[in-house]
Amino acid sequence: MKIKTNVTLIGAMLLLCMYSNAQSQTPRQLPAKRTTQPVKIDGLLNDAAWKDAAMMNDLVEFRPKMGAKENHENRSETFLMYSNEGIYFGGFLYERTKDSIATELAGRDGFGTNDYIGLIFDTYYDKINGFEYFVTPLNEQWDAKMAPASNGNNEDFSWNAVWQSGAVIHDNGWSFEMFIPYSAIRFGQKEVQDWGLNITRRRRKTEQQYTWNPIDVNVNGFLTQEGIWTGITNIKPPMRLQFSPYFSVYANHFPANQPGQKNWTSQVNGGMDVKYGINQAFTLDATLIPDFGQVQSDNQVLNLSPFEVKFNENRSFFTEGTELFSKGNLFYSRRIGGTPIHLYDAYNVSPGEVVVKNPSESKLINASKISGRTQKGLGIGILNAITKPQYATIENTTTKEQYQFETDPLTNYNILVLDQTMKHNSSISFVNTNVWRSGSDYDANVSAALFDLNDKKNMWNAGGKLAMSNLIGYKTGGKPETGLSHQLYFGKTSGRFNFNIYQERTDTRFNSNDMGYFTNNNFLDHGTWVGYRWTEPKKWYNRIFLNFNANLSMLQKAIDPITQTYQSANFNINSNIQTKKLWWFGGFTGYNFRQNDFYEPRREGWYFKRGSSLEIGGWVNSNESKKYSFFIEIFGSKRFNFYNSHGYNFNLGQNIRLNNKLSFSHRVSFNPQYNNIGFVHIPGNAAINFAKRNRNTIEHILSAKYNFTNKMGITYRARHYLSTVDNKEFYILQSNGELASNPTNYTANQNVNFFNIDMVYTWQFAPGSFINIVWKNAVVDFDGHVQKNYFKNLDRTMQADENNNISLKVIYFLDYLQLKKKKS
């Protein structure tokens, strides 16, 4: 698109952002009350200090019946005050009977089937960033950071703070108390402050949700509709210095049964996490000699696509408090300590040599991050991590001599984020990621500027991103290779009718894959999303959502004068309905136009012509507040081509809660694909080979949870994944994107089983302190002969060699102020 066109589009966005017919309401205000009296956090509100606290009552329902007042018999009476040390929040939540209270021991940050009360602060009053603290009737805690998102606010429940709570169940409801020390929240240094404020209550059995300041679900954002806590005076952030030293022991067994290799191995680790408050707004987090051996196993799959699998991040350091680093979608934390860049180069050995050891992950030495936000709304985030060099061991089969081959150099990863909040829930940001590698390996740098603007009435939204990447090193002959990318979007975000239109363009040289997840460049995409919602409950439904999506993708630049620039186009329609009985129903239908697939051939300059396809499906989800609930999803697809390709996707899930301590869940998915057409690797064959194949994938996940108390519990998760590829016919891709039959039969079938068990015992024996005992079992079974019987596959997997790992980890939380207080 020409620059002039882009400038016109941006101008139109900004002009439209100036107008709106939305109606705003005056937020509720609560005067801040200070106390100097002692308070015992036991959930009973018997202390005299509560008599002077400010009262918050008359909550308003926002789901399912928006705007309804609380019934008197289910009313909420809550109180808020502060002291020199922190914030006190308590109250009594009435119910008709004790049986009306929903309770389940689900663990910290594990929602479960629980009633709850939550306190939300927007300490900088920017209507974008916030802190949330929740407690349940069984005194389990949740907490989260709120950050901006395209549809309002994101909640990051991986963020954890150390605070106190108590809860007691009575015959006519339940009472609670919370104490949030100033070390567990961030705020500015003004002598007199006003904070954004709201509280939220959920009654799980009726799925009713209430807030103190009313929420209109048709308005964009949650913090944009907050009340105000006024006149907070002369509060001082304390010295924030916290240590979490750890000690861990691992024992691992794998039946290698080979000379020179032990079946049993062990490891002892020690390290520390440090959290230091640089000032009232900024925090330094560092992990020294980290140990992530107890994180949940990845959901491994058989990947037949041209792109790598994107795995979830389960390492707490890279999930907790990282909302700033997600700006611009340039940071994929699994790159740090991930696959060595020369992992597969190690196998290019000379005759008579073999690779005897080749670690698949790099070792993290340390990582640190600084994050926070100034009183004027400038958010700053810096993350730095270092991984040590990684080596493969290669052995001469005759002399038994060994040498090392470097698969990954010493590497430094760094990301810098500057995020300035502005009026009306708007912001501008700058992001830079940098990967430096020692020696001759290449370095990578990506910078991006972002803007996200909302009008005064919070009705219209416009934004965009301009990014530039630079690669320097052996890949580019020592010269920088610079690439550019941009994104623009505009939409209506409040009201029953919403829409969004966008454009995204990336040139042939842009690459953000060294520190981000990036699949391909050279595209120009346009798309739209249009949605309508009915949020006022009627005779048989509570809510209805309907949306339409359409996308068109082109090459930004043709690979050669003959190649077409068209890639793909599609549209789909989705609907979701919640009934009065809290069941959800949904439907989906979509159509994909014919496609020129430039990625499936795995060779630049080639493409494969895919036929058009039709997809249709539906799903149902029963009331999850019941002791037994389930969901069913059924989808089908039909591709209109010569090969009669078609497939289905069946998903079934069940949840069984036997009591408030013990529960089970089961998930099974079945995805058969018939006459599927795709690339197949044939060793020693220089042609681009395709195959017509039948592929079946089955996944079972069984989970169980038992909580002894709100501080101690056991979780169990077993996963079996089976995928088979049965090639029927082979083809050779032609230069015009068509396939020519190849009469040669190859042995390229695949039969893959992955099996994992993750069993975790956790005991929080003191605030922020844990003992974790973890058993992990892993089995991988590959075969070139397809076994269609599922139970025979499962039996064969159980007979295969298992890797068993058991570990003990002790984490002890130390707070400088608490230590100082005990000493004095």
Side-chain angles (χ1 to χ4, degrees), residues 395-412:
E395 183 179 85
N396 186 297
T397 55
T398 302
T399 66
K400 302 302 180 182
E401 293 182 354
Q402 295 183 346
Y403 68 93
Q404 290 187 323
F405 174 85
E406 186 178 77
T407 57
D408 210 33
L410 176 72
T411 306
N412 187 86

mmCIF file of all heavy atoms in Angstrom, residues 395-412:
data_model
loop_
_atom_site.group_PDB
_atom_site.id
_atom_site.type_symbol
_atom_site.label_atom_id
_atom_site.label_comp_id
_atom_site.label_asym_id
_atom_site.label_seq_id
_atom_site.Cartn_x
_atom_site.Cartn_y
_atom_site.Cartn_z
ATOM 1 N N GLU A 395 31.762 -39.034 19.095
ATOM 2 C CA GLU A 395 32.737 -40.090 19.394
ATOM 3 C C GLU A 395 33.173 -40.815 18.128
ATOM 4 O O GLU A 395 32.358 -41.084 17.227
ATOM 5 C CB GLU A 395 32.125 -41.088 20.376
ATOM 6 C CG GLU A 395 33.064 -42.200 20.814
ATOM 7 C CD GLU A 395 32.408 -43.144 21.802
ATOM 8 O OE1 GLU A 395 31.713 -44.095 21.360
ATOM 9 O OE2 GLU A 395 32.579 -42.912 23.014
ATOM 10 N N ASN A 396 34.463 -41.109 18.068
ATOM 11 C CA ASN A 396 35.012 -41.950 17.012
ATOM 12 C C ASN A 396 34.744 -43.404 17.374
ATOM 13 O O ASN A 396 35.158 -43.877 18.443
ATOM 14 C CB ASN A 396 36.519 -41.701 16.868
ATOM 15 C CG ASN A 396 37.115 -42.446 15.680
ATOM 16 O OD1 ASN A 396 37.108 -43.674 15.627
ATOM 17 N ND2 ASN A 396 37.661 -41.684 14.741
ATOM 18 N N THR A 397 34.035 -44.110 16.515
ATOM 19 C CA THR A 397 33.606 -45.476 16.841
ATOM 20 C C THR A 397 34.770 -46.459 16.920
ATOM 21 O O THR A 397 34.641 -47.520 17.523
ATOM 22 C CB THR A 397 32.600 -45.975 15.799
ATOM 23 O OG1 THR A 397 33.182 -45.866 14.485
ATOM 24 C CG2 THR A 397 31.314 -45.146 15.836
ATOM 25 N N THR A 398 35.913 -46.107 16.319
ATOM 26 C CA THR A 398 37.071 -47.012 16.331
ATOM 27 C C THR A 398 37.970 -46.737 17.525
ATOM 28 O O THR A 398 38.295 -47.639 18.304
ATOM 29 C CB THR A 398 37.873 -46.871 15.030
ATOM 30 O OG1 THR A 398 37.022 -47.143 13.914
ATOM 31 C CG2 THR A 398 39.048 -47.852 15.011
ATOM 32 N N THR A 399 38.376 -45.476 17.683
ATOM 33 C CA THR A 399 39.320 -45.128 18.754
ATOM 34 C C THR A 399 38.635 -44.787 20.065
ATOM 35 O O THR A 399 39.298 -44.680 21.101
ATOM 36 C CB THR A 399 40.183 -43.936 18.319
ATOM 37 O OG1 THR A 399 39.329 -42.779 18.178
ATOM 38 C CG2 THR A 399 40.883 -44.227 16.993
ATOM 39 N N LYS A 400 37.320 -44.561 20.030
ATOM 40 C CA LYS A 400 36.531 -44.157 21.191
ATOM 41 C C LYS A 400 36.903 -42.765 21.706
ATOM 42 O O LYS A 400 36.473 -42.378 22.802
ATOM 43 C CB LYS A 400 36.653 -45.172 22.337
ATOM 44 C CG LYS A 400 36.224 -46.581 21.956
ATOM 45 C CD LYS A 400 34.773 -46.614 21.468
ATOM 46 C CE LYS A 400 34.345 -48.023 21.087
ATOM 47 N NZ LYS A 400 32.939 -48.047 20.575
ATOM 48 N N GLU A 401 37.686 -42.040 20.930
ATOM 49 C CA GLU A 401 37.998 -40.679 21.313
ATOM 50 C C GLU A 401 36.772 -39.781 21.112
ATOM 51 O O GLU A 401 36.008 -39.979 20.166
ATOM 52 C CB GLU A 401 39.176 -40.149 20.494
ATOM 53 C CG GLU A 401 40.490 -40.839 20.781
ATOM 54 C CD GLU A 401 41.633 -40.234 19.972
ATOM 55 O OE1 GLU A 401 41.345 -39.368 19.112
ATOM 56 O OE2 GLU A 401 42.797 -40.617 20.202
ATOM 57 N N GLN A 402 36.630 -38.812 21.986
ATOM 58 C CA GLN A 402 35.474 -37.924 21.922
ATOM 59 C C GLN A 402 35.924 -36.470 21.807
ATOM 60 O O GLN A 402 36.989 -36.102 22.295
ATOM 61 C CB GLN A 402 34.598 -38.090 23.179
ATOM 62 C CG GLN A 402 33.957 -39.460 23.318
ATOM 63 C CD GLN A 402 33.050 -39.556 24.542
ATOM 64 O OE1 GLN A 402 33.093 -38.707 25.427
ATOM 65 N NE2 GLN A 402 32.222 -40.595 24.589
ATOM 66 N N TYR A 403 35.092 -35.684 21.161
ATOM 67 C CA TYR A 403 35.320 -34.243 21.114
ATOM 68 C C TYR A 403 33.967 -33.539 21.152
ATOM 69 O O TYR A 403 32.916 -34.159 20.953
ATOM 70 C CB TYR A 403 36.123 -33.834 19.875
ATOM 71 C CG TYR A 403 35.399 -34.013 18.550
ATOM 72 C CD1 TYR A 403 34.673 -32.966 17.971
ATOM 73 C CD2 TYR A 403 35.465 -35.231 17.861
ATOM 74 C CE1 TYR A 403 34.027 -33.122 16.750
ATOM 75 C CE2 TYR A 403 34.817 -35.399 16.646
ATOM 76 C CZ TYR A 403 34.104 -34.343 16.085
ATOM 77 O OH TYR A 403 33.454 -34.497 14.882
ATOM 78 N N GLN A 404 34.015 -32.250 21.430
ATOM 79 C CA GLN A 404 32.780 -31.485 21.581
ATOM 80 C C GLN A 404 32.563 -30.560 20.386
ATOM 81 O O GLN A 404 33.506 -29.982 19.838
ATOM 82 C CB GLN A 404 32.810 -30.669 22.871
ATOM 83 C CG GLN A 404 32.719 -31.510 24.128
ATOM 84 C CD GLN A 404 32.572 -30.669 25.375
ATOM 85 O OE1 GLN A 404 33.165 -29.605 25.494
ATOM 86 N NE2 GLN A 404 31.766 -31.144 26.322
ATOM 87 N N PHE A 405 31.292 -30.435 20.025
ATOM 88 C CA PHE A 405 30.873 -29.543 18.939
ATOM 89 C C PHE A 405 29.895 -28.530 19.525
ATOM 90 O O PHE A 405 28.890 -28.913 20.142
ATOM 91 C CB PHE A 405 30.200 -30.352 17.826
ATOM 92 C CG PHE A 405 29.615 -29.514 16.726
ATOM 93 C CD1 PHE A 405 30.388 -29.086 15.664
ATOM 94 C CD2 PHE A 405 28.268 -29.144 16.750
ATOM 95 C CE1 PHE A 405 29.845 -28.314 14.639
ATOM 96 C CE2 PHE A 405 27.716 -28.378 15.743
ATOM 97 C CZ PHE A 405 28.510 -27.955 14.682
ATOM 98 N N GLU A 406 30.194 -27.245 19.377
ATOM 99 C CA GLU A 406 29.345 -26.209 19.971
ATOM 100 C C GLU A 406 28.037 -26.089 19.184
ATOM 101 O O GLU A 406 28.034 -25.746 18.012
ATOM 102 C CB GLU A 406 30.068 -24.860 19.980
ATOM 103 C CG GLU A 406 29.274 -23.783 20.731
ATOM 104 C CD GLU A 406 30.005 -22.453 20.795
ATOM 105 O OE1 GLU A 406 30.007 -21.744 19.758
ATOM 106 O OE2 GLU A 406 30.565 -22.132 21.851
ATOM 107 N N THR A 407 26.932 -26.342 19.883
ATOM 108 C CA THR A 407 25.616 -26.225 19.243
ATOM 109 C C THR A 407 24.925 -24.905 19.564
ATOM 110 O O THR A 407 23.989 -24.517 18.877
ATOM 111 C CB THR A 407 24.702 -27.379 19.688
ATOM 112 O OG1 THR A 407 24.592 -27.369 21.123
ATOM 113 C CG2 THR A 407 25.264 -28.716 19.218
ATOM 114 N N ASP A 408 25.386 -24.241 20.627
ATOM 115 C CA ASP A 408 24.804 -22.954 20.997
ATOM 116 C C ASP A 408 25.875 -22.139 21.709
ATOM 117 O O ASP A 408 26.472 -22.612 22.680
ATOM 118 C CB ASP A 408 23.585 -23.154 21.911
ATOM 119 C CG ASP A 408 22.562 -22.042 21.753
ATOM 120 O OD1 ASP A 408 22.416 -21.512 20.638
ATOM 121 O OD2 ASP A 408 21.891 -21.698 22.746
ATOM 122 N N PRO A 409 26.135 -20.920 21.250
ATOM 123 C CA PRO A 409 27.161 -20.108 21.914
ATOM 124 C C PRO A 409 26.612 -19.442 23.179
ATOM 125 O O PRO A 409 25.408 -19.495 23.458
ATOM 126 C CB PRO A 409 27.493 -19.062 20.844
ATOM 127 C CG PRO A 409 26.200 -18.877 20.122
ATOM 128 C CD PRO A 409 25.541 -20.232 20.098
ATOM 129 N N LEU A 410 27.498 -18.821 23.933
ATOM 130 C CA LEU A 410 27.072 -17.957 25.024
ATOM 131 C C LEU A 410 26.150 -16.887 24.442
ATOM 132 O O LEU A 410 26.515 -16.203 23.481
ATOM 133 C CB LEU A 410 28.289 -17.310 25.686
ATOM 134 C CG LEU A 410 27.994 -16.295 26.798
ATOM 135 C CD1 LEU A 410 27.485 -17.001 28.043
ATOM 136 C CD2 LEU A 410 29.245 -15.476 27.107
ATOM 137 N N THR A 411 24.948 -16.761 25.004
ATOM 138 C CA THR A 411 23.936 -15.890 24.398
ATOM 139 C C THR A 411 23.306 -14.995 25.452
ATOM 140 O O THR A 411 22.992 -15.449 26.557
ATOM 141 C CB THR A 411 22.837 -16.725 23.712
ATOM 142 O OG1 THR A 411 23.435 -17.639 22.794
ATOM 143 C CG2 THR A 411 21.865 -15.837 22.955
ATOM 144 N N ASN A 412 23.120 -13.739 25.083
ATOM 145 C CA ASN A 412 22.439 -12.780 25.951
ATOM 146 C C ASN A 412 21.133 -12.343 25.287
ATOM 147 O O ASN A 412 21.118 -11.939 24.119
ATOM 148 C CB ASN A 412 23.318 -11.555 26.207
ATOM 149 C CG ASN A 412 22.709 -10.619 27.243
ATOM 150 O OD1 ASN A 412 22.889 -10.796 28.440
ATOM 151 N ND2 ASN A 412 21.988 -9.608 26.774
#
